[in-house]
Amino acid sequence: QVQLVESGGGLVQAGGSLRLSCAGSGRTFIRYAMGWFRQAPGKEREFVAAIHWSGGSTSYADSVKGRFTISRDNAKNAVYLQMNSLKPEDTAVYYCAAGVNYSSREFAYWGQGTQVAVSS
């Protein structure tokens, strides 16, 4: 089992950047694929990005491809989401998630979320 805590959210102007961090607890962190999801007001939660436990494979939603970068540091039990060229439509609560299967994007463990607001 792993516990996840996100940080780094905030208010930023359109075109700006933010870096989200997710700290995981437990020695088994390295076994998990990690993902970022987001949920905007009145909308369903959607996939943003995922990274294989090794860091060797990543995947992105089309809406963020080329602007967001997911990375991880297994020595620090951490995963990051670098968000550049932010748009007002990126406004949402961002969640970090952990799962055993990178390909299926099935995540069993979730953080509490961090708010990102992008002003126009």
Side-chain angles (χ1 to χ4, degrees):
Q1 190 170 357
V2 61
Q3 287 79 44
L4 304 169
V5 178
E6 302 95 335
S7 62
L11 174 64
V12 64
Q13 289 188 332
S17 298
L18 279 176
R19 188 193 194 208
L20 304 183
S21 298
C22 175
S25 65
R27 292 180 294 176
T28 59
F29 179 85
I30 191 173
R31 300 180 183 177
Y32 292 96
M34 300 298 297
W36 286 96
F37 289 73
R38 66 186 182 186
Q39 187 167 21
K43 295 187 177 181
E44 293 187 354
R45 186 170 60 192
E46 65 175 358
F47 170 78
V48 175
I51 187 166
H52 189 267
W53 69 266
S54 68
S57 294
T58 57
S59 58
Y60 298 91
D62 288 342
S63 59
V64 306
K65 202 171 293 184
R67 300 188 297 123
F68 291 11
T69 303
I70 188 171
S71 62
R72 68 189 295 164
D73 186 338
N74 288 335
K76 296 182 178 179
N77 279 10
V79 63
Y80 308 100
L81 186 68
Q82 178 66 43
M83 306 186 295
N84 298 329
S85 302
L86 282 161
K87 305 175 181 180
E89 51 263 44
D90 294 318
T91 295
V93 177
Y94 283 72
Y95 297 91
C96 173
V100 296
N101 192 317
Y102 167 77
S103 298
S104 70
R105 296 183 185 172
E106 295 178 354
F107 295 92
Y109 305 105
W110 296 82
Q112 83 290 347
T114 185
Q115 177 72 54
V116 171
V118 184
S119 62
S120 57

